[in-house]
Amino acid sequence: MNTLTPRQLLDKLVSFPTVSRVSNLDLVDWLEGYLASHGIAAHRSWNEDRTKAALFAHVGPWVEGAVVLSGHSDVVPVDGQDWTSDPWTVTERDGRLYGRGTCDMKGFDALAVWALVEAHSKGVKRPLQLALSYDEEVGCTGAPPMIAAMQGVVPKGEAVVVGEPSRMALITGHKGGTGFHVHVKGFEVHSSLLSYGVSAIMEGARLIQWVNDQNAAIQAPQPSAVAAMFDPPFTTMHVGMIEGGTAHNITAGDCRFAIEMRVVPDDDEAARIAAVETEAARLDASLKAKRPEAGVHLEKFFGVPALRPEVDGAAEALVRRLTGNNATGVVSYGTEAGQFQEAGYSAVVCGPGDIAQAHQVDEFIEVSEFQAGHAFMQRLVEHLG
């Protein structure tokens, strides 16, 4: 197979509609074959029903200390979005490359694949690895099993660059995140007999008010030095959707909503999670005392650890050297960088494109940003020697 340019790789990757709700295996099959055609062995980490797979590969000396380029293969849906052009075909106009995933984050993926093949062909002295996950867009659930699968199969890497769009700025910290699906089960009676029933909506509102009270308590103190780096400079808890009930004159039998939190790196995320679980258990016991059929059920649906700024971190030093930029930044959204860091890697975020374009109709990456990403990869391969 011919060696593809970064732009050709981007065209190919975008052509696979790897929305998180469907399989990504067509992309994985193609990429595994492309790497194999260049003499690079790739390894898969499967999901439970083997409908999706992460892909990772190693080039260069078979030693520890690799630079790891980390991306994800999945994209968000285009349903209900009125695109100007085909979202699964990269279209260039006005200095922009339009297509679903061009920014988040197949632009980086294409550049990482190019760098891997280039590093292999040049016979670099320091190893380079590619780590391409699945299901990042639904809670970063594919990266932890991929990272676990990498151990012992390829030598342990040292510095991880997660290529989420940052306009090639160095991001050394981000908030962690956890989400719970909440199901409050009530007991239906006519609303005129309210005291004999349990309104799931009215009882669920108690838990939502508790979230409001938590936010007020969290925001009251002076932010810590680490928290002050973020906007907003504190942990947040949020309920964004709620549904339930059957009629205005019947106590609601069910109420469903989700609680999500975004936790600054120096906050105690485990304690925040425990507090939600404790409050839900308290409400559950109260409802069961009224009607044994009633209660509260929590289901954790995502958990992403914070990325903590490192002291003398290898990944930060690497990106500084390649970009020549001494500035650092933090963001309030989560990435897989915290999961790599939790597994013992040094990690940062740095990638082409603007996060404001992520998930948008007519998503694009500026040609200049894509070129900046390519220049970064060229310097990386040269640095690996």
Side-chain angles (χ1 to χ4, degrees), residues 105-180:
M105 62 180 300
K106 289 179 177 178
F108 178 84
D109 295 343
L111 295 166
V113 171
W114 177 88
L116 194 75
V117 172
E118 185 75 0
H120 180 64
S121 69
K122 288 185 177 297
V124 291
K125 297 175 183 177
R126 181 183 174 185
L128 181 67
Q129 294 178 358
L130 172 72
L132 190 67
S133 70
Y134 60 85
D135 282 357
E136 190 275 346
E137 296 291 4
V138 290
C140 296
T141 59
M146 175 189 69
I147 296 168
M150 292 170 69
Q151 310 311 308
V153 176
V154 294
K156 181 70 175 282
E158 180 185 27
V160 179
V161 180
V162 178
E164 292 285 357
S166 70
R167 298 193 71 87
M168 298 308 299
L170 173 61
I171 303 299
T172 58
H174 64 62
K175 291 184 179 182
T178 299
F180 290 97

Side-chain angles (χ1 to χ4, degrees), residues 60-137:
W62 199 257
V63 295
E64 294 188 351
V67 174
V68 184
L69 300 176
S70 167
H72 60 81
S73 62
D74 59 319
V75 296
V76 297
V78 297
D79 306 21
Q81 293 185 337
D82 186 16
W83 281 65
T84 303
S85 54
D86 179 4
W88 310 115
T89 301
V90 178
T91 302
E92 182 173 352
R93 59 180 185 271
D94 302 323
R96 297 170 174 176
L97 301 172
Y98 289 87
R100 174 57 86 220
T102 52
C103 179
D104 184 19
M105 62 180 300
K106 289 179 177 178
F108 178 84
D109 295 343
L111 295 166
V113 171
W114 177 88
L116 194 75
V117 172
E118 185 75 0
H120 180 64
S121 69
K122 288 185 177 297
V124 291
K125 297 175 183 177
R126 181 183 174 185
L128 181 67
Q129 294 178 358
L130 172 72
L132 190 67
S133 70
Y134 60 85
D135 282 357
E136 190 275 346
E137 296 291 4

Side-chain angles (χ1 to χ4, degrees), residues 355-376:
I355 193 63
Q357 283 303 310
H359 308 178
Q360 299 299 307
V361 63
D362 285 347
E363 177 184 346
F364 66 83
I365 186 171
E366 295 170 6
V367 172
S368 60
E369 279 288 308
F370 193 61
Q371 291 171 338
H374 186 202
F376 176 92

Side-chain angles (χ1 to χ4, degrees), residues 208-255:
I208 295 173
Q209 183 56 49
W210 177 85
V211 170
N212 283 326
D213 294 341
Q214 290 294 298
N215 278 329
I218 289 168
Q219 295 172 30
Q222 185 75 15
S224 69
V226 172
M229 299 167 64
F230 290 84
D231 183 17
F234 40 74
T235 293
T236 57
M237 301 178 67
H238 176 245
V239 175
M241 297 178 66
I242 187 170
E243 62 177 356
T246 55
H248 73 277
N249 59 351
I250 300 174
T251 56
D254 296 279
C255 178

Side-chain angles (χ1 to χ4, degrees), residues 22-36:
V22 301
S23 173
N24 72 338
L25 293 184
D26 285 348
L27 183 153
V28 170
D29 289 344
W30 178 83
L31 181 53
E32 187 173 40
Y34 178 71
L35 295 177

